[in-house]
């Protein structure tokens, strides 16, 4: 085998310029896949991180039908106290769950006594919320950003949009007016304890308040809530954990329609960014397909030329008694070597580019989010890319190699 | 028993829609250790006959027996194996592998065909390179050699597997007069030393002059046979 590889390697460098040209094409393709994959995944992970760590949590539990009406923030689709206790008991026993935060989400009108606007409010216990969305307090740029106390009873955090629009600052007093599930309207005065950065999309008008205040404002006496946001220990096991919870949580599977009937959604179901994430994944796949095409066509081209140019030589080695299988191996080894070493070089180049990007950490803005690209070296992506090139190189070399192996020696020797 | 027996061999080709008879009813016997030459004009069928003896091609009719074994209907793999163990080839254009050095060219059939162990390989190759006078050039590549030197390497490559028969198609056609004589002398010496049968297809009178048996071929038929002492005497 070593001798076959030695001959294959030397044959490759008979036509140095052609080999280097083909190799550079593959190097470029592999580097492109790795860099694009690294940047794409870094971008995706960055945004998913912001969304889940600042706002959504990894998954959320609601009363059945809530997500379908989520734009209206309905207060009649709540999880009653008894159901909430059962859910909490199940979540507490599940080792995959890191923490969870009970929430009430509702719409309200905020007034500074001169003007008013509508906003969305999420009522939370700040300590729990900070465990599920650890980046949320960091997004409070003005005011109290202590994870355990960023909202206290009697205070609210408002988004930058509203603060700017209504010329509000921390310490100012505002009135919140909300309608509860029975349809009665109530108003309460709050002090602004913090102003948060805007997060992607409609969350641009999201504010936070303490859970106890929501109970008072909405006149909730039974301790019911609209959702539970959950943080899991291992994000890569999100789907598995969600599946487990769907089986474990009472009523989710719909076994008993008269019991609390819950639904569980991952961040992907709740954020429009999941479509962008899917597009990024699709684009990475497209780049891979381009790589496969580059490798397939370039190796096929080189190997076909190689066989055609060396018909006389094939006749010679066949006449010396080289078995057809070994002739096949000689040409396969040539294509494989070209593919493998080019892919390896592409892998090194791609890794180098990503390493430089990881050091530079280029910043850019996506929507309302400030993102910093710090791509990880995707070892999986590198191994997959090299494996793809090796497999495609073998396939592309197969037809020319078979042609060489099947050549009649007498015909080949006649070829000039 | 003769080393090579050809019995009523015919070979036809179809070119376009026309059938062409390259060999018609060839019968001959060649003993081991002989210097044999097929002579005749271009297109007479000399190379076709060599190809049949070398298991590179199959006869349309008749048998080719080497050491009593009918080789005329071997499949591709069996004929390759047979060639690797029994036949050596010397070509008009030398046909050395350009990516291998002189040493590696001679080594090629021992590695890729016969799987000879490294130590044994080395002894054989160095011995043959010494005999053909190519020891000093053993690390050179074919494009660094003259025509005569290339043919010496080709002779060493043909003999390194210790074949029973060496087939040489116009081996001196691309060599000057003096070099051709030197090459023939080497082949003669090898024949005497190893007892190998050399069969030539040639126009070259120098080769013919060295042959012990000469078959004259014309229009695919043997029209004459001359037996002489070695060296044409």
């Amino acid at each position: 085998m070593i001798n076959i590889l030695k001959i294959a390697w030397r044959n490759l460098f008979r036509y140095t310029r052609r080999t280097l040209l083909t190799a550079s094409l593959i190097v470029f393709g592999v580097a492109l896949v790795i860099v694009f994959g690294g940047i794409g995944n870094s971008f995706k992970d960055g945004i998913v991180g912001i969304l889940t760590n600042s706002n959504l949590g990894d998954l959320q539990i609601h009363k059945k039908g809530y997500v379908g009406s989520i734009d209206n923030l309905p207060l009649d689709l709540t999880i009653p106290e008894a159901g909430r206790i059962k859910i909490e008991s199940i979540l507490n026993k599940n080792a995959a769950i890191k923490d969870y935060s009970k929430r009430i989400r509702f719409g309200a009108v905020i007034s500074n006594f001169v003007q008013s606007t509508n906003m969305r409010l999420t009522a939370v216990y700040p300590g729990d919320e900070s465990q599920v969305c650890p980046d949320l307090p960091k997004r409070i740029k003005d005011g109290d950003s202590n994870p355990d106390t960023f909202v206290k009873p009697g205070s609210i955090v408002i988004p930058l949009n509203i603060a700017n629009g209504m010329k509000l600052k921390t310490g100012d007093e505002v009135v919140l007016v909300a309608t509860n599930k029975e349809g009665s309207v109530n108003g309460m005065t709050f002090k602004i304890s913090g102003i948060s950065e805007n997060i992607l999309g409609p969350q641009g008008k999201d504010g936070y308040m303490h859970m106890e205040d929501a109970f008072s404002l909405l006149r909730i006496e039974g301790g019911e809530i609209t959702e539970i946001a959950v943080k899991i220990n291992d994000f890569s096991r999100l789907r598995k954990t969600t599946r487990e919870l769907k089986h474990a949580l009472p009523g989710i599977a719909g076994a008993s329609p008269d019991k609390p009937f819950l639904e569980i959604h991952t961040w992907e179901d709740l954020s429009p960014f999941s479509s962008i994430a899917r597009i990024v994944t699709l684009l990475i796949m497209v780049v891979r397909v381009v790589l496969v095409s580059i490798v397939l066509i370039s190796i096929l081209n080189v190997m076909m030329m190689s066989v055609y140019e060396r018909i006389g030589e094939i006749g010679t080695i066949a006449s010396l008694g080289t078995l057809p299988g070994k002739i096949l191996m000689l040409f396969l080894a040539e294509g494989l070597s070209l593919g493998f070493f080019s892919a390896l070089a592409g892998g090194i180049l791609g890794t180098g580019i990503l390493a430089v990007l990881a050091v530079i950490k280029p910043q850019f803005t996506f929507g309302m989010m400030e993102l910093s690209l710090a791509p990880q070296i995707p070892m999986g992506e590198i191994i997959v890319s090299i494996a793809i090139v090796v497999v495609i190189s073998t396939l592309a070399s197969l037809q020319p190699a078979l042609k060489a192996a099947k050549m009649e020696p007498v015909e080949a020797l006649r070829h000039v | 028993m003769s080393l090579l027996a050809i019995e009523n061999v015919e070979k036809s080709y179809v070119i376009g829609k026309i059938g062409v008879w390259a060999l018609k009813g060839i019968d001959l016997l060649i003993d081991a250790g002989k210097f044999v030459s097929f002579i005749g004009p271009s297109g007479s069928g000399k190379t076709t006959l060599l190809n049949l003896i070398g298991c590179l091609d199959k006869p349309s009719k008749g048998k080719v027996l080497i050491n009593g074994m009918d080789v005329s209907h071997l499949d591709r793999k069996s004929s390759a194996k047979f060639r690797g163990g029994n036949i050596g080839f010397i070509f008009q254009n030398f046909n050395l592998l350009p990516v291998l050095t002189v040493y590696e060219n001679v080594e090629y059939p021992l590695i890729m065909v016969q799987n000879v162990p490294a130590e044994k390989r080395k002894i054989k190759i160095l011995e043959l390179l010494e005999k053909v006078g190519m020891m000093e050039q053993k690390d050179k590549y074919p494009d660094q050699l003259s025509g005569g030197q290339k043919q010496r390497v080709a002779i060493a490559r043909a003999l390194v597997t210790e074949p029973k028969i060496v087939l040489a198609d116009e081996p001196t056609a691309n060599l000057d007069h003096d070099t051709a004589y030197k090459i023939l002398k080497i082949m003669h010496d090898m024949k005497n030393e190893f007892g190998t049968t050399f069969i030539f297809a040639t126009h070259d009178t120098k080769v013919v002059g060295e042959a012990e048996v000469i078959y004259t071929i014309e229009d695919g038929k043997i029209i004459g046979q001359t037996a002489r002492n070695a060296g044409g005497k």
Side-chain angles (χ1 to χ4, degrees):
Chain A
M1 195 60 202
I2 291 169
N3 289 298
I4 287 177
L5 286 173
K6 181 178 83 178
I7 294 172
W9 188 251
R10 288 197 195 167
N11 273 319
L12 275 178
F13 282 94
R14 271 164 92 165
Y15 310 101
T16 314
R17 211 174 298 176
R18 186 170 75 197
T19 299
L20 290 180
L21 204 64
T22 308
S24 62
L25 205 63
I26 299 170
V27 168
F28 172 74
V30 172
L32 183 71
V33 168
I34 291 168
V35 171
F36 192 82
I39 291 176
N41 285 325
S42 161
F43 166 73
K44 208 167 65 175
D45 294 346
I47 296 196
V48 172
I50 289 173
L51 290 175
T52 56
N53 289 328
S54 303
N55 182 261
L56 293 175
D58 296 339
L59 55 92
Q60 293 182 3
I61 301 164
H62 301 96
K63 176 86 179 280
K64 180 80 176 171
Y66 183 87
V67 171
S69 322
I70 200 163
D71 286 342
N72 303 325
L73 299 175
L75 286 169
D76 56 338
L77 290 169
T78 52
I79 301 169
E81 190 172 21
R84 191 203 73 203
I85 291 167
K86 278 187 189 173
I87 295 168
E88 286 190 72
S89 158
I90 288 167
L91 293 177
N92 287 333
K93 284 179 198 159
N94 192 326
I97 307 298
K98 188 178 180 190
D99 224 315
Y100 58 89
S101 172
K102 300 177 284 289
R103 294 172 171 176
I104 297 174
R105 297 191 71 206
F106 62 100
V109 172
I110 180 171
S111 168
N112 63 357
F113 307 103
V114 177
Q115 51 182 314
S116 61
T117 185
N118 63 315
M119 68 179 291
R120 291 162 178 254
L121 279 149
T122 305
V124 296
Y125 292 109
D128 292 345
E129 185 67 14
S130 300
Q131 291 298 315
V132 174
C133 297
D135 289 349
L136 174 62
K138 295 175 201 162
R139 300 186 80 83
I140 299 170
K141 294 299 174 190
D142 188 14
D144 183 5
S145 59
N146 184 319
D148 294 321
T149 58
F150 68 90
V151 278
K152 298 185 196 82
S155 72
I156 63 163
V157 173
I158 62 166
L160 193 61
N161 278 357
I162 290 177
N164 288 342
M166 297 178 78
K167 296 185 176 57
L168 293 170
K169 57 186 186 302
T170 51
D172 287 354
E173 281 202 345
V174 290
V175 172
L176 281 180
V177 179
T179 309
N180 72 2
K181 72 174 177 180
E182 278 84 30
S184 61
V185 178
N186 193 22
M188 282 173 66
T189 306
F190 292 89
K191 189 178 266 187
I192 296 171
S193 63
I195 296 170
S196 72
E197 279 179 341
N198 296 319
I199 309 172
L200 183 74
Q203 282 88 345
K205 289 185 99 176
D206 273 35
Y208 287 84
M209 71 190 310
H210 198 277
M211 185 67 90
E212 297 303 327
D213 286 341
F215 288 150
S216 303
L217 181 65
L218 300 171
R219 293 175 181 153
I220 294 172
E221 290 172 355
E224 60 207 83
I225 54 169
T226 58
E227 69 189 34
I228 299 179
V230 179
K231 180 93 181 158
I232 62 171
N233 284 314
D234 182 358
F235 190 74
S236 65
R237 294 168 65 89
L238 179 62
R239 281 169 202 272
K240 189 170 181 284
T241 307
T242 307
R243 261 199 318 273
E244 284 169 7
L245 284 177
K246 273 184 180 172
H247 284 102
L249 287 172
I252 285 180
S256 176
D258 54 335
K259 285 188 176 175
F261 199 57
L262 304 173
E263 61 186 17
I264 182 164
H265 294 280
T266 64
W267 72 270
E268 289 169 301
D269 306 319
L270 300 165
S271 167
F273 178 75
S274 61
S275 308
I276 297 173
R278 275 196 289 275
I279 290 170
V280 171
T281 308
L282 188 70
L283 283 175
I284 294 171
M285 286 305 294
V286 169
V287 175
R288 276 200 192 138
V289 171
V290 171
L291 170 72
V292 167
S293 313
I294 288 174
V295 174
L296 191 69
I297 293 168
S298 54
I299 300 243
L300 187 63
N301 178 45
V302 165
M303 293 313 298
M304 281 174 74
M305 283 169 77
S306 189
V307 169
Y308 182 76
E309 284 163 351
R310 282 158 41 201
I311 291 176
E313 255 176 72
I314 294 164
T316 303
I317 60 172
S319 69
L320 294 177
T322 312
L323 293 175
K326 277 197 177 164
I327 297 177
L328 180 89
M329 291 293 289
L330 272 170
F331 282 90
L332 274 185
E334 215 170 302
L336 202 64
S337 304
L338 179 59
F340 176 73
F341 287 105
S342 305
L344 205 61
I348 293 167
L349 178 67
T351 306
I353 294 171
L354 285 185
V356 170
L357 286 176
V359 172
I360 296 171
K361 289 191 176 63
Q363 308 273 334
F364 70 98
T365 307
F366 181 76
M368 292 177 175
M369 289 181 280
E370 284 295 325
L371 274 177
S372 166
L373 271 187
Q376 303 286 312
I377 306 298
M379 285 315 289
E381 190 80 48
I382 294 169
I383 291 166
V384 167
S385 301
I386 293 175
I388 287 174
V389 171
V390 168
V391 170
I392 298 300
S393 303
T394 310
L395 290 176
S397 311
L398 200 58
Q399 192 272 340
L402 277 171
K403 189 180 172 184
K406 284 180 179 173
M407 224 170 255
E408 286 294 339
V410 71
E411 297 294 334
L413 282 169
R414 265 188 217 129
H415 190 87
V416 180
Chain B
M1 187 176 66
S2 300
L3 173 67
L4 171 68
I6 294 183
E7 297 175 2
N8 194 27
V9 160
E10 293 185 358
K11 178 69 185 174
S12 64
Y13 296 105
V14 177
I15 300 172
K17 288 181 180 173
I18 303 161
V20 178
W21 286 94
L23 294 174
K24 301 167 193 169
I26 300 283
D27 286 292
L28 58 84
L29 296 170
I30 293 174
D31 291 333
K34 293 289 180 187
F35 229 57
V36 179
S37 181
F38 297 145
I39 60 167
S42 294
S44 59
K46 304 184 297 289
T47 300
T48 303
L49 189 52
L50 279 194
N51 288 341
L52 294 181
I53 296 168
C55 306
L56 294 172
D57 206 355
K58 291 183 174 62
S60 308
K61 194 182 159 192
K63 285 181 182 173
V64 177
L65 301 158
I66 297 174
N67 250 356
M69 180 182 169
D70 185 359
V71 297
S72 43
H73 298 292
L74 294 177
D75 63 22
R76 185 192 297 269
K77 198 173 166 183
S78 306
S79 61
K81 272 188 182 166
F82 187 83
R83 281 196 301 275
N86 298 281
I87 316 251
F89 290 89
I90 298 170
F91 302 96
Q92 179 180 344
N93 293 319
F94 325 119
N95 291 27
L96 299 179
L97 299 176
V99 293
L100 302 182
T101 62
V102 165
Y103 183 94
E104 289 165 340
N105 260 285
V106 180
E107 191 183 31
Y108 179 90
L110 295 180
I111 294 180
M112 298 293 280
V113 180
Q114 293 194 337
N115 294 318
V116 176
E119 201 47 45
K120 202 172 165 192
R121 250 177 9 230
K122 192 177 177 186
I123 294 167
K124 283 180 109 174
I125 296 162
L126 294 180
E127 183 192 342
L128 266 169
L129 287 178
E130 186 68 52
K131 284 188 198 304
V132 298
M134 288 300 291
M135 190 59 110
E136 283 179 19
Q137 283 81 20
K138 72 181 172 65
D139 295 322
K140 287 186 177 171
Y141 284 89
D143 61 2
Q144 297 169 303
L145 304 176
S146 67
Q149 287 174 323
K150 284 180 190 169
Q151 203 58 300
R152 286 169 195 235
V153 180
I155 292 168
R157 184 179 66 182
L159 288 168
V160 77
T161 55
E162 298 173 16
K164 294 179 177 66
I165 301 171
V166 169
L167 302 172
D169 194 359
E170 304 281 7
T172 53
N174 286 341
L175 303 176
D176 62 58
H177 191 268
D178 286 347
T179 310
Y181 265 118
K182 282 177 191 162
I183 291 294
L184 281 172
K185 184 173 181 321
I186 290 168
M187 286 199 266
H188 220 284
D189 292 345
M190 298 291 123
K191 185 215 87 169
N192 290 337
E193 189 169 343
F194 299 114
T196 313
T197 300
F198 278 79
I199 303 176
F200 301 90
T202 187
H203 291 100
D204 193 338
T205 51
K206 296 183 287 299
V207 177
V208 178
E210 292 293 321
E212 293 164 285
V213 183
I214 301 161
Y215 290 97
T216 307
I217 302 176
E218 219 173 274
D219 292 333
K221 290 180 189 165
I222 295 175
I223 58 164
Q225 179 185 346
T226 313
R228 298 189 300 180
N229 290 330
K233 296 177 181 91

